[in-house]
Amino acid sequence: MAKNSAPAPNDAPSEGTVLNGGGGLNGAPAGKGRATPSRAEQEAARKRPLVPDTKEAKARAKADLASQREKARIGMANGDPRYLPARDQGAQRKFTRDWVDAGWHLGEIVMPAMVLVILATFVNIPALQFYAFVGLWIFIVFVVIDMILTSILVKRAVKKKFGADKMEKGLGWYAAMRTVQMRFLRLPKPQVKRGQKPA
């Protein structure tokens, strides 16, 4: 009784497959004229990435990311709710920003005042340096007072517009910190003019 032949391995081509352009009848190429890919070769082909990992693809992805970031930056600067961070979201936060931006605040010139004091230290006049520092500290005290008043007045305005039971927390601090930013550096950018009553 003849022994059964050993099973062919998975990677072996099936019967009847023409290898390397092997001939059919009369030595002519038959079928596809090439070997059928093995299972291992087919699996390797499936695992190849659809998008080639080339310098062009990386550059294109980098350009797309930069474009999205620029779009988000412009949207945030213009106050577009889709691009605002959580701390700037909501109608009450927008009202607070508009309320602050509609007025004048001492905190807006803190940075220029500090620069002037630093320049005064380079002048070899001790009296000028002393009075510059004293004047700066006095000015900062008035800035703090303005921040406190702004916080109180903003919360009062928000209560009147939205209701005391619906007022969000942190609006006073949010308004106070915006007053110490120079107007052209504020983000989101001011949407109202000086003296314009916020909606």
Side-chain angles (χ1 to χ4, degrees):
M1 183 174 181
K3 293 182 180 180
N4 293 332
S5 59
N10 290 336
D11 291 350
S14 57
E15 292 184 6
T17 301
V18 179
L19 299 176
N20 299 327
L25 296 175
N26 301 325
K32 295 178 291 185
R34 58 184 173 81
T36 301
S38 66
R39 181 178 299 175
E41 292 172 343
Q42 293 175 5
E43 290 178 356
R46 285 196 296 268
K47 291 179 180 179
R48 291 193 192 104
L50 297 177
V51 179
D53 188 15
T54 63
K55 290 183 178 180
E56 293 80 6
K58 289 181 179 180
R60 189 161 49 251
K62 189 176 181 180
D64 291 341
L65 182 60
S67 176
Q68 293 174 3
R69 286 178 176 174
E70 179 64 12
K71 186 177 180 181
R73 185 190 68 80
I74 295 174
M76 177 184 169
N78 293 332
D80 190 333
R82 295 175 297 175
Y83 301 104
L84 292 179
R87 66 181 178 85
D88 295 318
Q89 290 279 359
Q92 295 188 28
R93 299 279 170 158
K94 183 182 185 307
F95 177 83
T96 300
R97 291 195 301 270
D98 291 345
W99 197 96
V100 172
D101 296 337
W104 293 86
H105 303 279
L106 293 175
E108 297 179 42
I109 56 176
V110 165
M111 293 302 295
M114 289 183 173
V115 172
L116 290 176
V117 171
I118 292 173
L119 293 176
T121 61
F122 292 99
V123 180
N124 193 18
I125 303 176
L128 176 63
Q129 296 175 357
F130 173 77
Y131 288 114
F133 276 107
V134 171
L136 177 62
W137 282 108
I138 294 174
F139 178 72
I140 288 177
V141 169
F142 281 102
V143 169
V144 173
I145 293 173
D146 180 65
M147 292 172 67
I148 295 172
L149 290 176
T150 299
S151 174
I152 295 171
L153 294 175
V154 161
K155 289 191 287 187
R156 187 179 299 172
V158 171
K159 286 180 181 179
K160 184 177 179 181
K161 182 175 177 62
F162 297 95
D165 57 331
K166 296 181 180 179
M167 189 177 73
E168 299 175 3
K169 293 182 179 180
L171 292 178
W173 178 253
Y174 182 73
M177 293 308 297
R178 192 168 177 87
T179 64
V180 297
Q181 298 173 343
M182 300 179 72
R183 185 178 175 88
F184 69 93
L185 293 177
R186 292 172 182 171
L187 285 176
K189 292 181 179 180
Q191 304 295 314
V192 296
K193 296 180 180 180
R194 303 260 194 197
Q196 181 180 347
K197 185 177 180 181

